[in-house]
Amino acid sequence: MRLHKVYHRLSVLHFSPISFPSNPCILHLISPYSLRLRFPRRITANFTSITSMGCSRFRNVVPLGAAVTEDGGGGNSNVSVSSSTATFDYEEESTVGVAYRVPPPEIKDIVDAPPVPALSFSPLRDKILFLKRRSLPPLSEFARPEEKLAGIRIDGSCNTRSRMSFYTGIGIHQILPDNTLGPELGVHGFPDGAKINFVSWSPDGQHLSFSIRGNGEDDESSKLRVWIADVETGKARPLFQSPDIYLNAVFDNYVWVDNSKLLVCTIPLSRGAPPRKPLVPFGPKILSNEEKNIIQVRTFQDLLKDEYDEDLFDYYATSQLVLASLDGTTSDMGPPAVYTSMDPSPDHKYILISSIHRPYSFIVPCGRFPKKVDLWSADGKFVRQLCDLPLAEDIPIAFNSVRKGMRSINWRADKPSTLYWVETQDGGDAKVEVSPRDIVYTQPAETLDCEQPAIVHKLDLRYGGISWCDDSLALVYESWYKTRRIRTWVITPGDDVVNPRILFDRSSEDVYSDPGSPMLRRTQAGTYVIANIKKGGDEGRYILLNGIGATPEGNIPFLDLFEINTGSKERIWESDKEKHYETVVALMSDQEEGDLHLDQLKILTSKESKIENPQYYLVTWPDKKTYQITNFPHPYPQLASLQKEMIRYQRKDGVQLTATLYLPPGYNPSTDGPLPCLVWSYPGEFKSKDAAGQVRGSPNEFAGIGPTSALLWLARRFAVLSGPTIPIIGEGDVEANDTYVEQLVSSAEAAVEEVIRRGVAHPKKIAVGGHSYGAFMTANLLAHAPHLFCCGIARSGAYNRTLTPFGFQNEDRTLWEATNTYVEMSPFMSANKIKKPILLMHGEEDNNPGTLTMQSDRFFNALKGHGALCRLVILPYESHGYSARESIMHVLWETDRWLHKYSVSSSSDADEKHGSRTVEENADKGNKDSESKVVIPSGGGSPEASDLKYEGFHSMPRSSL
């Protein structure tokens, strides 16, 4: 899929809390800094700058092709902040109760506040969509049956990915000549209560396409239909005249071929009922490696299990492509197949179509199934096959290893219909030393059989993408994870005589040296290319570099006018460094053909401060006049005056560390004394101490609070130390994880000492917590640094690394190559050392590689077997992240109860004494106050007595027992 399609169809913007994605309908972004450890800035400046602005701050701006379920911001609340955390009485709460609970009002009201709308600007930058959203979805939506097939989860009744959220309405605003917004025009004509997904602009900005589904539980009303709306009138109508044509959205769904025609993945009309599972198996399940192939795979989940699963996957994933015009005419295109992507050429003459086919695999997900890429004409005629890649079960686990054969096949954004792709020269194995490692090729769509593709560029690192401009300029990116090296090449695609040259060569970890990413402008064909900028009568070749501006004082985003030939640059815009944090989101003056003139430049920015939530502005040259175009209310006014400070301190080995310290509104350490403190973090790997010590983030960023954010406990009068850097450093040939525990403890000690030194945290009331790899961190800290923390909260973690033997997180050595590291890093192996209270929570349907629900279950049993004070909460229907309102509220209740009981109440001394009792002593007490295991019934009411026995609960997977 070409870049401009990603930008235009899927997203204008999106930001969400830092986590690994669990819901395939949600576009989760990992921290931009961790992204840059693996990937170069290879995408458009418009798109790159958007994703690099920070994850938690802009929860109101999301991809059009996605829908958000983990968003808790928005709206007003008049609830005042409690002066004490003791307003909720937990003394009478049973430690084995299993009904869904709700946290105190101070937390609940923040999470329940209605979210602000998502935003999207038209291709011509003259209109803006406000996509209406609801608050957290109910658990009943996640209780819908789903098929777990080939690494994905499918809602069979909708024929989409499961757990898909939606928009509730679409409002269109005109951007007036004075750069203000006109009144809202609501899109209308579709049924009341319809659920809206996959909103997309036509290339000319005159129409919107979107899907709707009803509220009914029957298959017909829940299936998706494609609708079209006229942007000028807001009137919507179905795209297909026949009521029997439904959207298949398991993979790609539809794409605008031109201004009046769409290519749609539909459910084949000839499809019957789903295949029935045979009462008697076809035969035994046999996996064989008699050829002695070396196949190492990570701990993938939801894989195909047998021939029935293969048939079921084909049933739901198979689509019939239909070309549909706005005038109502339709025609089938090609045979039914498992189509995964569709990408029209810039001149609308061709369509690049990808599909997967058998033989399938039982050990890898569908992304590694045999893949075919074909070229079709826009009127539905097959042109030629570009490649048919075999099953890729043998991709090595080493980072930067890739699939063999053609990959990253795309259209050149600066040409009418020219393809480009990359092919590995090392067999896809990053451990093989070869030069070049990757070669980029190009070839016109209309080509003779004997015509060979032309070489665009040869790379010694791993290819990372291309930003096209024209025949005289393109930027090619390459990177290598092991060394964190990232390089940007300047090439001249239309002239083989001009030698490529390196523009930037730097460490991806060194955020201070980040020069920024080139900003792209939209072409008349709807693609996005590097924007050429004219500066008066200057004949230089100028582009715009949009950067995060990392400095020792925090991020100060900038926009540089960069002369590509000489390397000279002029800073033409910079964020206010004193009070506000402002970032460049997109160019807004790219409607006309030709170069952009500096004195006519218009950009979209987002502006915020510690206490002001993000708003969007238009900035125009030459006077840089600013126009505010949104006025969203503060999402949690009860915390509007919270205190935020970026702090720096030092680890005992000299590594500089940073964290963001949040304090409750009105708190004064000199008069109020130290507070209970919650430390919430996530470790990261680095190759150098200098890079690990660099400051990331801005002291002026708004405190974005998601539905499960640690910052919610500011409303409960906690100090919160958010994101203290936990660098695990391995310089040179040293592997970072070989000293993981030592570096982890040392970083935590430095953070705790700093908050105590400042007088804001009570030494015996400091709790630690984290999600996923942060949960792994939490368990290790309670095992190896029990003197630092009074209790811990660990959500959706993995605790036994021998269960992920072929690599985990950023470790690409196997268990047999680094046995001691795997064992010593596993808190499961140190369960006997954990004496402080630990709360474990996990989604029952976690699909994240490595964090099977079984990890928490087995860790809990290990803790219980050593008399540890522990509690395990299994959340029905939840995946790696938690989405349903009932689940999120219960997670918050459990966390608040744990913090109140083992941090606020100063019970850590008693807990430590209690935790040292023998197993026999705990058995005599019936373990009533030393442990509990909670499985919440899906109905949320009081369970039957039999449900209290964990092994008898029907929703618990047998693999977790």
Side-chain angles (χ1 to χ4, degrees), residues 289-345:
N289 191 34
E290 297 181 41
E291 300 83 4
K292 297 183 179 181
N293 294 321
I294 297 177
I295 298 177
Q296 301 177 350
V297 295
R298 298 231 173 181
T299 316
F300 298 117
Q301 299 194 52
D302 300 337
L303 301 177
L304 298 177
K305 298 180 292 298
D306 49 33
E307 289 82 354
Y308 168 72
D309 273 3
E310 291 182 308
D311 293 341
L312 204 60
F313 176 75
D314 277 337
Y315 177 83
Y316 288 114
T318 297
S319 296
Q320 173 63 61
L321 298 182
V322 176
L323 279 168
S325 297
L326 297 185
D327 62 9
T329 60
T330 63
S331 62
D332 289 352
M333 181 170 170
V338 183
Y339 296 107
T340 57
S341 70
M342 308 169 292
D343 195 7
S345 62

Side-chain angles (χ1 to χ4, degrees), residues 764-924:
K764 293 187 177 181
K765 298 183 179 182
I766 301 176
V768 62
H771 188 95
S772 194
Y773 207 52
F776 177 74
M777 169 205 74
T778 298
N780 266 310
L781 285 173
L782 293 188
H784 301 291
H787 60 291
L788 296 178
F789 304 103
C790 62
C791 64
I793 298 103
R795 302 191 317 221
S796 299
Y799 309 102
N800 183 354
R801 286 305 168 194
T802 67
L803 297 177
T804 55
F806 290 106
F808 58 89
Q809 198 70 5
N810 292 322
E811 177 60 67
D812 61 3
R813 295 173 295 173
T814 70
L815 169 64
W816 298 272
E817 294 172 319
T819 305
N820 290 339
T821 297
Y822 273 67
V823 171
E824 291 169 4
M825 286 184 69
S826 298
F828 179 87
M829 304 302 179
S830 299
N832 60 318
K833 298 179 182 179
I834 296 180
K835 308 300 181 184
K836 295 295 178 68
I838 183 169
L839 172 63
L840 306 172
M841 289 180 279
H842 216 120
E844 187 180 36
E845 304 295 334
D846 194 325
N847 66 344
N848 186 57
T851 56
L852 293 82
T853 308
M854 172 179 64
Q855 288 271 3
S856 286
D857 187 78
R858 292 186 176 180
F859 187 42
F860 172 79
N861 288 331
L863 293 167
K864 185 172 65 171
H866 290 90
L869 197 161
C870 54
R871 181 175 173 91
L872 171 62
V873 179
I874 302 293
L875 301 165
Y877 304 117
E878 293 293 348
S879 188
H880 190 59
Y882 317 138
S883 300
R885 182 181 184 276
E886 293 91 331
S887 302
I888 287 174
M889 290 298 180
H890 191 86
V891 165
L892 300 176
W893 180 87
E894 292 279 0
T895 304
D896 192 70
R897 173 186 175 274
W898 206 253
L899 293 174
H900 174 78
K901 191 170 184 180
Y902 300 114
S903 177
V904 175
S905 299
S906 299
S907 57
S908 57
D909 292 338
D911 296 336
E912 190 167 6
K913 179 179 178 181
H914 173 82
S916 64
R917 287 200 307 258
T918 65
V919 175
E920 291 77 10
E921 288 173 326
N922 277 327
D924 291 339

Side-chain angles (χ1 to χ4, degrees), residues 96 163 187 251 277 306 387 534 564-565 599 604 643 672 754 757 762 781 799 837 841 932:
V96 294
R163 303 169 183 240
V187 175
F251 289 105
K277 188 169 186 176
D306 49 33
C387 66
K534 285 293 185 181
I564 199 74
N565 296 315
D599 59 0
L604 175 71
Q643 304 173 56
D672 299 337
E754 180 63 18
R757 183 191 68 80
H762 192 292
L781 285 173
Y799 309 102
M841 289 180 279
S932 61

Side-chain angles (χ1 to χ4, degrees), residues 13 80-81 123 140 234 237 268 271 283 380 389 409 547 570 575 587 597 609 731 792 864 866 945:
L13 321 160
S80 60
V81 178
S140 58
R237 60 177 176 81
R271 190 179 79 172
L389 305 176
I409 307 173
E570 173 190 352
S575 174
L587 280 173
H597 292 269
S609 72
E731 296 187 304
K864 185 172 65 171
H866 290 90

Side-chain angles (χ1 to χ4, degrees), residues 23 25 66 90 117 151 155 157 182 245 268 284 378 388 454 516 584 646 690 693 904 922:
N23 188 332
C25 296
Y90 287 110
D155 185 329
S157 61
I245 300 179
D388 191 351
V584 177
M646 288 187 66
D690 289 342
V904 175
N922 277 327

Side-chain angles (χ1 to χ4, degrees), residues 291-543:
E291 300 83 4
K292 297 183 179 181
N293 294 321
I294 297 177
I295 298 177
Q296 301 177 350
V297 295
R298 298 231 173 181
T299 316
F300 298 117
Q301 299 194 52
D302 300 337
L303 301 177
L304 298 177
K305 298 180 292 298
D306 49 33
E307 289 82 354
Y308 168 72
D309 273 3
E310 291 182 308
D311 293 341
L312 204 60
F313 176 75
D314 277 337
Y315 177 83
Y316 288 114
T318 297
S319 296
Q320 173 63 61
L321 298 182
V322 176
L323 279 168
S325 297
L326 297 185
D327 62 9
T329 60
T330 63
S331 62
D332 289 352
M333 181 170 170
V338 183
Y339 296 107
T340 57
S341 70
M342 308 169 292
D343 195 7
S345 62
D347 62 2
H348 312 301
K349 291 183 178 180
Y350 300 95
I351 305 174
L352 202 61
I353 297 178
S354 300
S355 60
I356 56 178
H357 61 83
R358 298 194 184 213
Y360 297 150
S361 170
F362 298 152
I363 64 172
V364 294
C366 58
R368 298 191 183 186
F369 287 179
K371 177 182 179 181
K372 185 170 62 171
V373 182
D374 293 330
L375 188 64
W376 290 71
S377 66
D379 57 0
K381 297 178 181 178
F382 177 79
V383 178
R384 61 189 171 103
Q385 184 179 102
L386 298 179
C387 66
D388 191 351
L389 305 176
L391 179 65
E393 291 182 332
D394 59 347
I395 299 176
I397 62 172
F399 289 110
N400 290 122
S401 293
V402 296
R403 190 173 193 157
K404 301 173 186 176
M406 297 173 68
R407 69 181 198 277
S408 300
I409 307 173
N410 287 286
W411 297 106
R412 277 186 59 167
D414 62 327
K415 293 288 185 179
S417 53
T418 298
L419 295 162
Y420 72 98
W421 67 91
V422 63
E423 294 185 29
T424 179
Q425 307 300 301
D426 56 14
D429 189 349
K431 293 184 178 180
V432 173
E433 295 296 333
V434 65
S435 178
R437 188 174 292 278
D438 274 341
I439 298 179
V440 184
Y441 296 94
T442 185
Q443 189 178 56
E446 297 179 358
T447 184
L448 301 175
D449 292 339
C450 60
E451 185 177 350
Q452 295 299 310
I455 294 177
V456 175
H457 193 48
K458 297 180 179 180
L459 301 165
D460 284 337
L461 308 182
R462 188 63 79 202
Y463 167 81
I466 300 179
S467 293
W468 298 96
C469 184
D470 51 37
D471 273 339
S472 64
L473 175 64
L475 300 181
V476 184
Y477 309 98
E478 63 176 343
S479 65
W480 197 246
Y481 177 74
K482 276 292 185 182
T483 60
R484 309 301 199 271
R485 192 177 184 185
I486 181 171
R487 295 196 297 198
T488 303
W489 290 85
V490 177
I491 65 170
T492 307
D495 191 344
D496 296 336
V497 177
V498 180
N499 291 325
R501 60 184 175 88
I502 292 178
L503 185 63
F504 304 120
D505 189 348
R506 48 183 291 270
S507 168
S508 59
E509 292 182 339
D510 182 10
V511 293
Y512 292 171
S513 70
D514 188 348
S517 304
M519 294 206 74
L520 305 193
R521 57 86 47 83
R522 187 178 184 274
T523 69
Q524 292 296 305
T527 61
Y528 286 84
V529 299
I530 297 174
N532 281 316
I533 306 297
K534 285 293 185 181
K535 180 185 177 184
D538 194 328
E539 295 301 319
R541 184 69 183 271
Y542 291 99
I543 65 173

